[in-house]
Amino acid sequence: MMDYDKTYAEFKWEVPEYFNFSRDVIDKWAEDPDKLAMLWVDDEGNEVRKTFLDFSKASRRLANVLRQQGVQKGDVVVVILPRLIEWWETNLACLRMGAVISPGTTQLTAKDIKYRFEAAEAVCIITDNANAPKVDEIIADCPTVKSRIIVGEPREGWLTYSDAVAAASEEFQTENTRSDDNAILYFTSGTTGYPKMTVHTHASYPIGHIITGKFWLDLRPEDLHWNLSDTGWAKAAWSSFFGPWNMGAALFVHHSLRFSPKKTLELLAKYPITTMCGAPTNYRMMILEDLSQYKFPTLRHCVGAGEPLNPEVIEVWKKATGITIRDGYGQTESVLICGSFPCLEPRFGSMGKPSPGFDLQVIDENGNILPPNMEGDLAVRVKPERPVGLFKEYWKDPAKTASVHRGDWYLTGDRAYKDEDGYLWFVGRADDVILAAGYRIGPFEVESALLEHPAVAESAVVSSPDEIRGEVVKAFVILAPGYQPSDELVKELQEHVKKVTAPYKYPRKIEFVDSLPKTVSGKIRRIELREREWAGKRK
Ligand code: ATP
Ligand code: MG
């Protein structure tokens, strides 16, 4: 097992001048023609196995198709596909030919797609029959998009993926991309505002995610790794693409349009999955099921990322499976920058320690590093050297890029503190922190306290206006099955929070709701609740 301090101290980024993930990673694993890259299943019980060699070949063919379609090095190709094998082929083809890949979720509307086409100056779209009508609705207004490729049934005005790929040559001279060439354009989740176009190079994600795959996921070539995330978010690049494939691990993919906690548990028990990555919201739903009915004999690791991971969720999961869900922190803008690495003694509720290759600190408004246990801005040192696993820039938006830098630091936009032993504790997004009666209150701590009560399935804590106090803590609570809203329950929850955390943090207001506003990547949009609370009032 890795020694954290030693690994952290000795780690050096190694980046060659030229790098191409498809050639330098996928084609290398493909030298063993039988090496499994993916086990794909769908809700109908179909199973497909793909080797690295299959992906190597398919991506060459598709690269030829894209060339014929006029896609050049540096051009943006948008891919909107559910968890279909073609999604992985498309990513590899674009990397191979030096086109810039921009994945979007299938939940995008026609308007969102138009925004992305325009913002990214996309030249090509690859999508399926379910999403093609949205594209056709706006295509007349998007003159940059020259080529439309459909995965599925033929459609007028579209090239059919399967036919084109079958007719194309398997020979393709992989573009000798420079490590600092643009490779990927991911849109952020849009939790706090309009999604930002984040540029990654042929090194920042492809090489940077060695951190994610090796140190955090602890993957090996014989592993079968399952990441629950949608294909449209950067987390897919983390844990469904670069992280595992760098390590030669095979992916388990479940093609389904909806997350079902029950189905997920069934699949986890049925297939020889060794490692699983989910968003905290996935785990919060799974622990409501009867976990004692399932056995996971091959499961070695479970990790969570994307949102803070509540200690209660870790406890319940651990009791049932024996496995501690390890937290991991990062952004679309980065690879894993902080994690509860397998070699660390986990502290439930903490995000763990900085990743090797990252100087991650809590700083004040002047860029000074704060002493332990003081809350401040979570920032990554970028001078004199920018860590490889960090984005290049927000595309065509130098002002935005500049706004997230302060002196020697890149600002994550999140608030946190470090304890005496170097563990980091997430407080909240800078905008989500509540200022009540002179105290700063992070929503995560209150939400975690609420979750420890059996009546609470999930909650979101935001600031709310109050005549006398100005601003108070308000909790929106989804009740667990079998519980009914009542004034008594409000009191009980308030007393409970006062008991498990500092009393001033308890929610003076509680509203029971059936659902919470979330991004398509499953993150709670506290901003929406907060704006609803404050509508018409001045903060
Ligand atoms: P936008 O920037 O568009 O508002 P977003 O920040 O949610 O959206 P992502 O890049 O998908 O877009 O998410 C990164 C953010 O998610 C982090 O800055 C942090 O706020 C949160 N996050 C990710 N992982 C964790 C974690 N393990 N613990 C706490 N927060 C996390
Ligand atoms: Mg963000």
Side-chain angles (χ1 to χ4, degrees):
M1 175 125 353
M2 103 188 204
D3 172 335
Y4 175 82
D5 292 326
K6 190 162 176 286
T7 308
Y8 187 83
E10 289 175 358
F11 182 85
K12 287 215 173 26
W13 290 106
E14 277 170 35
V15 177
E17 190 176 351
Y18 298 93
F19 188 79
N20 189 290
F21 184 81
S22 294
R23 178 191 64 197
D24 300 332
V25 176
I26 299 302
D27 294 354
K28 283 274 156 11
W29 291 117
E31 284 169 12
D32 171 357
D34 301 323
K35 178 142 184 55
L36 188 73
M38 181 182 290
L39 169 55
W40 180 97
V41 304
D42 66 11
D43 282 334
E44 280 74 54
N46 296 305
E47 278 180 22
V48 180
R49 278 161 212 274
K50 289 278 176 189
T51 62
F52 282 98
L53 186 58
D54 292 331
F55 278 109
S56 175
K57 288 180 178 170
S59 63
R60 285 163 201 277
R61 288 173 181 273
L62 181 60
N64 278 319
V65 172
L66 293 173
R67 275 272 163 82
Q68 288 154 14
Q69 289 289 298
V71 178
Q72 310 274 331
K73 180 171 184 248
D75 283 349
V76 175
V77 174
V78 175
V79 56
I80 301 175
L81 288 175
R83 296 181 196 89
L84 293 174
I85 293 162
E86 288 84 350
W87 184 83
W88 281 265
E89 294 173 354
T90 302
N91 275 269
L92 290 174
C94 288
L95 291 168
R96 194 181 282 290
M97 66 180 298
V100 176
I101 178 88
S102 186
T105 154
T106 53
Q107 299 185 41
L108 294 176
T109 62
K111 189 166 150 265
D112 299 331
I113 296 172
K114 179 165 176 279
Y115 167 75
R116 290 187 179 215
F117 282 175
E118 283 171 353
E121 295 168 30
V123 303
C124 175
I125 165 77
I126 301 184
T127 191
D128 63 358
N129 292 91
N131 292 282
K134 295 188 274 188
V135 173
D136 286 340
E137 211 176 289
I138 49 92
I139 195 72
D141 300 328
C142 302
T144 60
V145 183
K146 302 269 186 320
S147 164
R148 285 171 282 169
I149 302 177
I150 193 136
V151 174
E153 298 305 312
R155 182 178 172 89
E156 206 191 318
W158 293 69
L159 182 71
T160 309
Y161 185 104
S162 51
D163 295 349
V165 164
S169 161
E170 220 167 79
E171 301 296 318
F172 187 88
Q173 178 68 40
T174 302
E175 190 71 37
N176 194 24
T177 43
R178 291 183 55 87
S179 293
D180 56 2
D181 282 341
N182 292 353
I184 311 151
L185 194 60
Y186 258 114
F187 285 72
T188 59
S189 291
T191 309
T192 44
Y194 230 38
K196 299 175 281 275
M197 276 194 293
T198 310
V199 180
H200 281 283
T201 64
H202 279 274
S204 63
Y205 256 22
I207 295 180
H209 276 305
I210 287 175
I211 299 285
T212 315
K214 183 175 178 181
F215 298 126
W216 183 52
L217 297 172
D218 183 38
L219 290 173
R220 301 158 199 176
E222 57 281 4
D223 273 319
L224 182 60
H225 174 67
W226 188 10
N227 172 32
L228 301 175
S229 150
D230 181 276
T231 48
W233 304 104
K235 191 140 166 297
W238 278 48
S239 198
S240 295
F241 201 81
F242 296 115
W245 277 356
N246 260 317
M247 305 308 293
L251 304 171
F252 180 79
V253 177
H254 174 217
H255 171 49
S256 173
L257 296 181
R258 272 182 61 82
F259 172 74
S260 151
K262 202 167 159 43
K263 181 81 189 172
T264 303
L265 291 164
E266 282 167 13
L267 292 173
L268 198 57
K270 177 171 175 195
Y271 289 97
I273 293 155
T274 56
T275 49
M276 183 172 74
C277 178
T281 177
N282 300 136
Y283 289 110
R284 286 196 291 262
M285 287 170 78
M286 284 194 281
I287 62 168
L288 297 175
E289 300 289 319
D290 178 8
L291 293 175
S292 67
Q293 288 191 2
Y294 305 91
K295 291 249 171 329
F296 312 116
T298 51
L299 197 60
R300 204 170 85 236
H301 291 300
C302 291
V303 296
E307 273 199 306
L309 186 62
N310 318 86
E312 174 71 9
V313 178
I314 310 177
E315 301 268 6
V316 176
W317 188 261
K318 185 166 184 193
K319 235 176 243 153
T321 67
I323 294 177
T324 302
I325 309 170
R326 294 182 289 105
D327 196 6
Y329 168 90
Q331 307 183 306
T332 309
E333 290 87 340
S334 71
V335 300
L336 180 97
I337 41 187
C338 177
S340 188
F341 295 100
C343 58
L344 290 173
E345 190 56 45
R347 296 196 178 170
F348 293 9
S350 154
M351 319 194 277
K353 292 191 180 188
S355 299
F358 284 89
D359 183 4
L360 179 66
Q361 301 286 354
V362 176
I363 62 167
D364 68 12
E365 54 280 7
N366 300 314
N368 302 309
I369 297 172
L370 287 167
N373 298 319
M374 275 187 70
E375 182 204 312
D377 292 319
L378 189 62
V380 176
R381 191 188 292 281
V382 290
K383 284 180 193 162
E385 257 176 81
R386 197 175 170 86
V388 172
L390 202 57
F391 73 128
K392 182 168 158 188
E393 60 190 9
Y394 293 123
W395 208 37
K396 296 188 293 183
D397 201 344
K400 184 94 217 159
T401 307
S403 75
V404 296
H405 288 85
R406 178 188 298 159
D408 293 352
W409 303 97
Y410 159 68
L411 302 170
T412 60
D414 292 314
R415 305 279 295 177
Y417 63 91
K418 222 179 216 186
D419 66 20
E420 290 86 357
D421 302 317
Y423 282 78
L424 280 143
W425 299 76
F426 181 83
V427 173
R429 289 165 183 273
D431 306 342
D432 284 344
V433 173
I434 305 160
L435 277 168
Y439 292 107
R440 298 176 55 83
I441 300 167
F444 172 54
E445 196 185 342
V446 185
E447 288 162 11
S448 292
L450 280 165
L451 202 64
E452 283 178 37
H453 192 284
V456 178
E458 197 167 31
S459 75
V461 166
V462 300
S463 110
S464 172
D466 181 80
E467 297 272 314
I468 303 150
R469 294 185 172 82
E471 188 170 348
V472 295
V473 177
K474 172 163 181 179
F476 290 84
V477 173
I478 300 180
L479 289 175
Y483 288 88
Q484 297 303 322
S486 71
D487 291 346
E488 287 72 50
L489 188 54
V490 168
K491 289 239 162 51
E492 194 179 316
L493 292 177
Q494 289 173 328
E495 288 311 311
H496 165 80
V497 174
K498 282 188 201 170
K499 243 186 279 151
V500 298
T501 172
Y504 68 84
K505 295 179 181 171
Y506 88 91
R508 284 178 189 270
K509 298 184 187 174
I510 291 183
E511 183 178 331
F512 297 108
V513 290
D514 294 329
S515 66
L516 293 169
K518 287 190 178 166
T519 64
V520 248
S521 48
K523 298 172 188 237
I524 299 173
R525 294 196 76 233
R526 294 179 192 80
I527 187 172
E528 207 171 303
L529 297 168
R530 186 165 69 238
E531 281 174 356
R532 226 184 277 163
E533 288 298 296
W534 287 87
K537 305 216 173 51
R538 216 152 42 93
K539 207 171 167 184

